[in-house]
Amino acid sequence: MIVNEWCMYCGECAAVCPRSLIEVRENSLIFNEGCKECRICLKVCPVQALEKEEDSELS
Amino acid sequence: MLIETDILVIGAGPAGSSAAKHAALNGSEVILIDKKSEIGAPKRCAEGVSKEGLKKLKIEPSSRWVTKELSGVLMKAPNGTSVWLNEEKVKLPEAGYILERKVFDKHMAMDAARAGAKIMVKTLATGLERKDDSLIVTAETMGEEFKIKAKIVIGADGPESRVGRWAGLKTTIKPKNMESCAQFEMAGVKMDDPDSIEFHFGSVAPGGYAWLFPKGDDIANVGLGILTTETDKSAYQHLLEFVENCPATQNAQPVELNIGGDPVGGMLKELVTDNFMIVGDAASQVNPLTGGGIISAMEAGLYAGQVAAQAIRDDDCSKAKLKKYQERCEENIGKKFKRDLKVKEYLLSLSDEELNSIAEAFQDIELENINTAELIKNLIKVSPKALLKLGKLF
Ligand SMILES: Cc1cc2nc3c(=O)[nH]c(=O)nc-3n(C[C@H](O)[C@H](O)[C@H](O)COP(=O)(O)OP(=O)(O)OC[C@H]3O[C@@H](n4cnc5c(N)ncnc54)[C@H](O)[C@@H]3O)c2cc1C
Ligand code: SF4
Ligand code: SF4
């Protein structure tokens, strides 16, 4: 997962990840192993700060 | 390094500080940790609380953290028709005062400290394991890892709660129950009535609503919450559109951007397990209709702190013993939430046209002495499906 620089560490993505993979620190996000690519985290982010690696390769 | 304590509270928001304070007041040894370097900042909040709520919690309003006292609510339909209610007519939910949360949260933590809790800032909990009759939490501060052994851990770590999941509770929130919010704090806002909060309903905020909460002078929190299951745009994109079109913000400028998730699906079913309790946003203790969670977080914190301290005194931290906390929450918070959830479902089912005609009908009604039954009767006249969705509730 690519965390863009404008992420504000609000934690909404972590709250909805069905696999509890996202760890929100004060100024960083950590994605643990085991992502099922459900994209729920990408969709809820209020500022669209998350991107899948393959999406950025396509564009 | 291993630190031992009776009760460890993780997260120093309103929920955690209240739990820590009441556990300490009732004789327990308490540690309160937060990952932030500054408790309360950045805020994820529109900062409205009811006067009644603070009173119930016996918290005296202070000029240090109250920015504005309000007297009314203005509700706007998509076509601009507004219905105005003032304090004499209705009890204002989530909106008797507008706070300065950054200051309020710190003061609530200070109260916990004064009651005897030990506070550690910039301290992140990273894991939890069970050992005999206690829980061991791994934490990190300034690059150093250490462990805290507690007889009871209270998870007050907000909507992103990992602590609850570590303890085995189901805290994951479904996107349909999560308001995705974005807000500017702005100067230069011209509100219709600077003593009222404003709500805007309809397609400006799909699955939620937009708000203007005045903070005195020309300052206001201007924000909205949406359900990402109802729109393809982000909350921030909706906010930009709202601010561009709202008459009140034509000459307003932002000084702060706030974002965050607000869990509005109703309180979690399981709030306790052996040696563990969960409070506040982490337990979805947010009013599903208004999205307000400060007062309910603190009320739940009060119950959690008292029940935890009693468990320590009785040397019994089992799930059965801690269940008392869950019962008090269900009775005093959960019941009302269930009713409000139904009202919200009805509200979200309305189209822009339906909202307009309801607002037009209510605009002229004398709300002075009207009771709820009459209100619903009038509502059913313009919106027959209200009978189906709300009839049984009142
Ligand atoms: C945009 C928006 C507007 C809102 N407006 C209102 C409103 O007007 N009125 C109202 O009543 N409510 C409002 N709410 C809801 C309200 O903000 C929350 O209900 C309230 O903050 C809940 O308090 P809490 O203590 O449970 O959680 P929080 O205030 O989120 O506190 C959780 C704390 O835990 C800490 N933490 C998290 N993980 C860890 C960890 N692993 N280790 C250590 N510390 C950790 C965090 O740093 C944080 O300080 C709004 C919410 C949003 C998103
Ligand atoms: S929801 Fe978006 S802004 Fe918030 S922490 Fe996740 S990626 Fe960052
Ligand atoms: S894509 Fe799904 S599983 Fe992967 S991190 Fe996001 S929410 Fe979690």
Side-chain angles (χ1 to χ4, degrees), chain A residues 15-31:
Chain A
V16 295
C17 172
R19 301 173 69 83
S20 308
L21 299 176
I22 312 175
E23 205 176 302
V24 195
R25 302 191 160 220
E26 192 176 15
N27 293 304
S28 62
L29 277 193
I30 296 171
F31 283 80

Side-chain angles (χ1 to χ4, degrees), chain B residues 141-378:
Chain B
T141 186
M142 301 300 180
E144 206 177 301
E145 195 176 273
F146 65 101
K147 291 186 191 297
I148 305 170
K149 185 176 171 190
K151 291 177 190 145
I152 295 176
V153 170
I154 300 181
D157 51 336
E160 71 263 39
S161 181
R162 288 169 64 76
V163 181
R165 301 181 205 204
W166 296 332
L169 298 180
K170 288 196 187 75
T171 64
T172 305
I173 311 220
K174 293 198 175 81
K176 72 170 170 59
N177 290 327
M178 183 63 119
E179 290 288 337
S180 183
C181 306
Q183 166 182 281
F184 285 131
E185 182 167 334
M186 305 185 100
V189 182
K190 280 203 185 68
M191 299 194 43
D192 286 8
D193 173 14
D195 295 323
S196 292
I197 51 167
E198 254 182 54
F199 294 114
H200 294 236
F201 298 98
S203 49
V204 286
Y209 62 79
W211 63 79
L212 289 96
F213 281 15
K215 291 184 79 173
D217 299 331
D218 58 349
I219 307 164
N221 287 327
V222 180
L224 48 79
I226 56 158
L227 290 177
T228 52
T229 48
E230 302 284 322
T231 169
D232 288 327
K233 288 184 222 157
S234 69
Y236 182 66
Q237 285 168 325
H238 278 284
L239 176 64
L240 291 181
E241 281 175 23
F242 179 71
V243 166
E244 193 179 305
N245 297 318
C246 179
T249 49
Q250 291 310 303
N251 293 308
Q253 297 300 326
V255 292
E256 208 175 291
L257 170 65
N258 311 118
I259 60 168
D262 204 6
V264 291
M267 194 163 81
L268 289 191
K269 288 202 180 68
E270 291 281 346
L271 303 179
V272 295
T273 178
D274 289 332
N275 314 83
F276 186 82
M277 313 160 104
I278 193 156
V279 286
D281 274 18
S284 269
Q285 285 163 337
V286 170
N287 181 309
L289 176 62
T290 63
I294 301 171
I295 296 294
S296 38
M298 297 185 72
E299 187 180 346
L302 164 81
Y303 303 146
Q306 289 176 342
V307 171
Q310 186 65 46
I312 296 289
R313 279 201 301 272
D314 297 346
D315 198 21
D316 173 7
C317 304
S318 65
K319 181 177 176 180
K321 181 81 179 175
L322 301 183
K323 199 102 193 194
K324 181 103 194 113
Y325 158 65
Q326 181 165 329
E327 286 160 15
R328 289 179 74 183
C329 287
E330 275 162 5
E331 180 60 31
N332 299 306
I333 303 172
K335 266 191 193 161
K336 182 177 182 324
F337 281 4
K338 280 194 185 129
R339 197 176 82 170
D340 286 348
L341 195 58
K342 291 269 184 280
V343 179
K344 180 185 77 170
E345 279 162 12
Y346 162 69
L347 210 61
L348 291 187
S349 75
L350 299 171
S351 67
D352 280 6
E353 291 70 35
E354 285 171 297
L355 286 164
N356 289 339
S357 55
I358 293 171
E360 276 154 20
F362 273 80
Q363 198 182 15
D364 310 318
I365 283 180
E366 222 2 275
L367 286 164
E368 212 65 62
N369 296 310
I370 203 162
N371 59 34
T372 316
E374 272 176 81
L375 207 79
I376 297 287
K377 217 160 71 191
N378 278 296

